[in-house]
Amino acid sequence: MTLKSGWVNCVALCGLVMTTQAFADCEKPFLAGDFGYSVCKDWPAYPGLTITALSQFESGYSASDYGPQGKYDLNLAVVTAGDSKPLATYHKTSVFESDAIAFEGLQLDTARYKLTPEVRAFGVRATFNGSSRVNPVSEKLLSLYVKEGDKLRPVLDKLITYEYGGEWDGNCAGERYQYTRTVEIGQTSSHGFADLIVKTVSTSETGKGQGDACESKTMTAKPVLTTLRYDGKTYVLPQGFKGL
C-alpha cells in the first residue's frame, strides 16, 4: 500500500466514522481534508432516523480558482437520533469528478419515493457548474438509494434533473438551452418496483444582433413524459438522461 492510497483509505474510513458521530445530532460532520461537502437531513418517512451524506476530495489535485480538480468519493449513512452507530451505510470511491465543470455541492432529497408498499427511497442531488460565461454549463444530478439490512443500495444513478448550456457572445448573439426534469411515482411497476415518470421541460433561447439591435427569442417545448423501469437492479436511463 502506498502512502497516498493509505491516506485516501484513512480519509474514507475516518470520514465515515466521524460523520456518523456528528450526524447523530444532525450537526455538520468532520471533514478529513480541506475539500468536501457534507449534509444531513431527518427522514420524515421514518421518524427518529437521519440521513447523512459526505463527499470528500480523493486525488488529482490541480490548483484553480474553483477548488481542486479530481475525484470525490461518497459516504452515506442512516443513523438513529442520539446514536452514533449507523443502521445502514454506503461507500464508493470516485463517484464524482470535478474539472472544468466543477463539483459544487450535495443535497439530500426526502420526497415520497415510495417504490413498494414497504420500500421508500431517498435522493442524493449533486450540483456542477462551469466557469465560462460564453460557454455556460450547469448540471444537477439525482440518485436514489434504498435501505436493505445494514446496507444502502443505489437504484437510480445520476439522472440529469437540470441542464443548462450553450454558446453565445456574452451580449446577444448565440444559442442557449435548458432542460428541467421532475420525477413522480407511476401506477405501474417493473420487477416489483414502481415505475418512475420523468417529465422533461425544455427551453431554448436564440439571439442575434448587437446592442439596441439585439433580438432574442425564447421557446418552451411541450413537456415530454418518459417512463423509467426497474430491471431488477437499477432504473434504466435512456440515452442523454444520465450524467457523468
Side-chain angles (χ1 to χ4, degrees):
M1 178 184 292
T2 64
L3 178 60
K4 182 177 180 180
S5 64
W7 180 84
V8 170
N9 289 337
C10 178
V11 167
L13 178 60
C14 295
L16 178 60
V17 171
M18 294 301 291
T19 298
T20 55
Q21 290 176 350
F23 276 134
D25 297 316
C26 205
E27 299 172 354
K28 183 174 177 61
F30 166 82
L31 286 175
D34 292 332
F35 303 101
Y37 301 95
S38 59
V39 289
C40 69
K41 190 173 185 179
D42 292 335
W43 199 351
Y46 301 100
L49 296 187
T50 296
I51 305 166
T52 78
L54 170 68
S55 185
Q56 291 193 245
F57 178 67
E58 278 182 351
S59 61
Y61 179 80
S62 174
S64 75
D65 293 336
Y66 303 96
Q69 296 181 351
K71 306 285 187 178
Y72 285 75
D73 67 359
L74 179 63
N75 288 288
L76 302 175
V78 172
V79 299
T80 303
D83 188 354
S84 62
K85 183 179 179 180
L87 297 177
T89 61
Y90 173 84
H91 170 72
K92 187 175 181 180
T93 60
S94 304
V95 174
F96 305 118
E97 183 170 3
S98 187
D99 45 32
I101 305 174
F103 173 40
E104 292 192 346
L106 289 176
Q107 285 184 312
L108 288 169
D109 180 355
T110 57
R112 295 183 177 181
Y113 298 113
K114 191 173 183 179
L115 306 184
T116 78
E118 296 79 26
V119 177
R120 288 178 182 257
F122 67 86
V124 176
R125 296 180 181 268
T127 300
F128 297 81
N129 282 303
S131 59
S132 173
R133 182 168 179 267
V134 295
N135 295 106
V137 178
S138 182
E139 193 171 84
K140 295 183 180 181
L141 310 178
L142 170 66
S143 298
L144 295 180
Y145 297 82
V146 296
K147 181 181 178 297
E148 294 181 344
D150 62 354
K151 301 297 182 183
L152 297 172
R153 182 173 68 86
V155 294
L156 176 68
D157 187 30
K158 297 179 180 177
L159 169 68
I160 300 173
T161 58
Y162 176 81
E163 184 176 359
Y164 174 75
E167 183 175 358
W168 68 314
D169 62 3
N171 295 301
C172 177
E175 299 179 353
R176 284 165 286 177
Y177 66 87
Q178 177 178 291
Y179 298 102
T180 302
R181 294 190 175 101
T182 55
V183 179
E184 295 184 0
I185 304 299
Q187 298 299 314
T188 57
S189 64
S190 303
H191 291 88
F193 274 20
D195 295 335
L196 302 180
I197 309 302
V198 177
K199 182 170 73 172
T200 303
V201 177
S202 58
T203 302
S204 61
E205 181 180 358
T206 58
K208 60 182 181 179
Q210 295 182 355
D212 294 338
C214 175
E215 296 181 2
S216 63
K217 184 177 181 180
T218 300
M219 296 183 62
T220 300
K222 182 179 178 180
V224 176
L225 299 181
T226 304
T227 300
L228 304 183
R229 294 182 171 86
Y230 185 68
D231 67 1
K233 294 182 178 180
T234 188
Y235 283 93
V236 180
L237 293 176
Q239 184 175 1
F241 276 55
K242 184 173 181 178
L244 299 178

